[in-house]
Amino acid sequence: MRKKLGMIVILLLWIALVGCSASSPSNETKSSQAKPSPSGKAEPASGNAGDMVKIGVVLAETGPASGLGKPEIDAIRLVKKKLEAQGGMIGGKKVEIIMKDYETDDTKAVLAMRKLIADEGVSVVYGATQVSTSIALRDIALKNNVVFLSGAPIGQLGETVFQTGQTSEVLIQQMIDYLKSKNIHTVAWINARDAFGQSGLPIMKKLAEPNGIEIVDAEDFDASATDMTVQLSKIKAKNPGALIVWSRTPGAGVVVKNFKQLGFTIPMLQSQAAANDAFLKQVGADGEGVLVQGSKASVAEQLPDSEYKNRLIQHNQEMMAEYNYPGDIFTTKATDAMNIIFKAIEAGNTTSDQIRDFLENQLHEYQGLSGTFRYTKENHAAVDDNGVSLLPIHNGAWSYSK
């Protein structure tokens, strides 16, 4: 009996030891898992420890916003290809770019961002294609103290959040300057009823009056609407001197079609969200004369001779060779984001804290493709408007007018 009890005890001890072993992650697995901190934040994995620096990218390569997101992610693929061609090394550090397509779905973007931080241990993330998505990613970046470069204009930023590309204030002021140069003092406004569309009018209202511009009507539409004749008929009755459209495609293009059908003869100014080939194809001949706020890369050959012009032409040639289409406002700001991060790494900065400090205090004046960057500790959105212009559509293509 005593011998039998002894064998049972030994058996139970063996089962307990095997069970513990099976339920415990290996050292390798442990190092790649998020570790909850006392505050509940996801502790970044150790992906950037030592000689490895990881950069996350979250963009809408597919889905309704792909007209904007695809050029961005293509531009970053090109940067990645060039990086890998030189061994993937910058400043003695191995650099990895990890790209995620959120399929124009904010929930998928949030999940991708969390995985990039918790599982990959990225030091910095670039994204997103849409305003609503960028706001969601901004909050995750702030909570986890990770540097986030926003490709969309999101207004309020934060300690670790920077904006690539111009703010909406800068872009709308450029539109107002154009109106004043043409002696136009009344304007109507129409926007999509989504995060980007709704972000513009409050800024326009703030800037219009001090600049002597009266907003005679403001209309909006569902982002998926296919007819805006009701809104445009109301606008026409107010007899504005110009119309500003704040929407991405396809809504921005529908407005152009209906504008033409209703016989408007006033100038139409479209936002940067329409500055893409998808918009040009959608509006066709109806787009003749429409002014779209786009990158000077789209008219690089028409610019006065300069070193900046040469860099834009080189960017366009590289994009054409790889994807059979040239650069635009989305490819330039995505490329700038990667180049700024590379400059930080080259200077020996690998952690989020170090990269943030570099952007605030050591980047100084950086001549990018999308404009001149002047980040400071107080201003994380300082990008001049010298990389964008109101581009008239002529014969189905972008043209340049000073």
Side-chain angles (χ1 to χ4, degrees):
M1 182 66 180
R2 185 175 295 173
K3 185 177 178 181
K4 196 172 184 180
L5 283 173
M7 289 180 67
I8 291 173
V9 169
I10 290 171
L11 179 62
L12 289 173
L13 285 171
W14 180 81
I15 290 172
L17 286 170
V18 170
C20 288
S21 176
S23 62
S24 299
S26 66
N27 289 337
E28 183 179 353
T29 306
K30 282 179 181 176
S31 68
S32 64
Q33 287 182 329
K35 303 170 185 175
S37 71
S39 65
K41 299 179 193 174
E43 286 280 339
S46 55
N48 288 329
D51 293 330
M52 168 66 81
V53 186
K54 292 186 177 181
I55 302 167
V57 174
V58 183
L59 293 169
E61 184 178 12
T62 58
S66 61
L68 290 60
K70 182 69 163 55
E72 286 181 289
I73 208 160
D74 278 349
I76 292 174
R77 280 200 183 95
L78 182 58
V79 171
K80 183 177 182 179
K81 182 178 179 180
K82 292 161 72 175
L83 171 66
E84 290 174 349
Q86 61 186 35
M89 303 292 289
I90 297 176
K93 304 292 182 184
K94 183 75 174 175
V95 176
E96 182 180 0
I97 300 174
I98 305 168
M99 295 184 285
K100 303 289 186 183
D101 171 20
Y102 71 88
E103 303 172 32
T104 319
D105 182 327
D106 285 2
T107 301
K108 290 183 178 178
V110 166
L111 291 173
M113 179 79 162
R114 286 176 175 159
K115 285 184 176 180
L116 284 169
I117 295 172
D119 295 351
E120 300 291 352
V122 296
S123 292
V124 54
V125 176
Y126 173 74
T129 304
Q130 298 160 279
V131 170
S132 61
T133 321
S134 289
I135 290 172
L137 300 192
R138 172 198 64 193
D139 294 345
I140 297 171
L142 289 172
K143 186 175 181 181
N144 290 281
N145 194 37
V146 168
V147 171
F148 176 56
L149 299 182
S150 173
I154 55 175
Q156 187 176 359
L157 299 173
E159 188 176 358
T160 62
V161 181
F162 296 78
Q163 183 172 312
T164 61
Q166 292 75 17
T167 64
S168 293
E169 284 84 353
V170 168
L171 295 171
I172 290 175
Q173 184 61 55
Q174 188 182 68
M175 289 182 166
I176 288 175
D177 291 343
Y178 171 83
L179 296 175
K180 291 167 68 176
S181 73
K182 301 297 181 184
N183 203 28
I184 296 172
H185 300 290
T186 59
V187 66
W189 177 280
I190 187 168
N191 63 260
R193 213 174 295 128
D194 58 15
F196 172 73
Q198 293 176 319
S199 69
L201 184 57
I203 298 167
M204 181 65 189
K205 287 180 175 176
K206 184 177 72 175
L207 296 177
E209 185 175 347
N211 285 279
I213 303 292
E214 180 187 1
I215 304 171
V216 297
D217 193 19
E219 302 287 340
D220 61 10
F221 56 85
D222 187 276
S224 61
T226 57
D227 191 297
M228 286 75 162
T229 53
V230 172
Q231 295 91 331
L232 289 172
S233 295
K234 292 178 182 176
I235 286 172
K236 194 171 185 182
K238 299 293 179 64
N239 194 31
L243 174 64
I244 295 178
V245 186
W246 206 254
S247 171
R248 61 179 169 84
T249 52
V254 174
V255 174
V256 173
K257 295 281 188 182
N258 294 156
F259 184 85
K260 182 78 172 180
Q261 291 162 358
L262 291 172
F264 277 92
T265 57
I266 59 175
M268 175 191 285
L269 284 64
Q270 289 263 358
S271 75
Q272 60 170 330
N276 54 74
D277 280 353
F279 177 79
L280 277 183
K281 292 173 183 172
Q282 182 188 4
V283 299
D286 291 337
E288 183 71 20
V290 171
L291 296 152
V292 181
Q293 204 156 35
S295 168
K296 288 183 177 176
S298 297
V299 291
E301 297 285 355
Q302 304 172 47
L303 299 176
D305 290 341
S306 68
E307 183 271 341
Y308 175 59
K309 172 182 178 175
N310 294 338
R311 287 194 292 120
L312 291 177
I313 290 175
Q314 180 181 349
H315 175 70
N316 285 346
Q317 290 173 341
E318 291 174 349
M319 288 294 297
M320 283 296 296
E322 195 72 19
Y323 306 111
N324 201 33
Y325 68 86
D328 62 15
I329 198 164
F330 304 103
T331 67
T332 52
K333 66 183 176 182
T335 301
D336 281 343
M338 292 300 108
N339 287 338
I340 286 171
I341 295 168
F342 288 177
K343 286 184 73 68
I345 297 170
E346 191 171 25
N349 305 287
T350 60
T351 68
S352 276
D353 286 343
Q354 291 170 341
I355 292 172
R356 185 195 67 228
D357 181 68
F358 174 86
L359 296 180
E360 290 177 342
N361 303 304
Q362 300 173 57
L363 182 64
H364 304 304
E365 181 177 299
Y366 173 74
Q367 302 292 334
L369 295 172
S370 58
T372 304
F373 291 69
R374 304 178 193 275
Y375 290 149
T376 65
K377 185 175 178 58
E378 293 75 27
N379 190 346
H380 286 190
V383 184
D384 294 351
D385 71 350
N386 53 355
V388 296
S389 183
L390 282 163
L391 309 177
I393 298 176
H394 180 56
N395 290 334
W398 307 115
S399 61
Y400 179 62
S401 176
K402 293 182 70 176

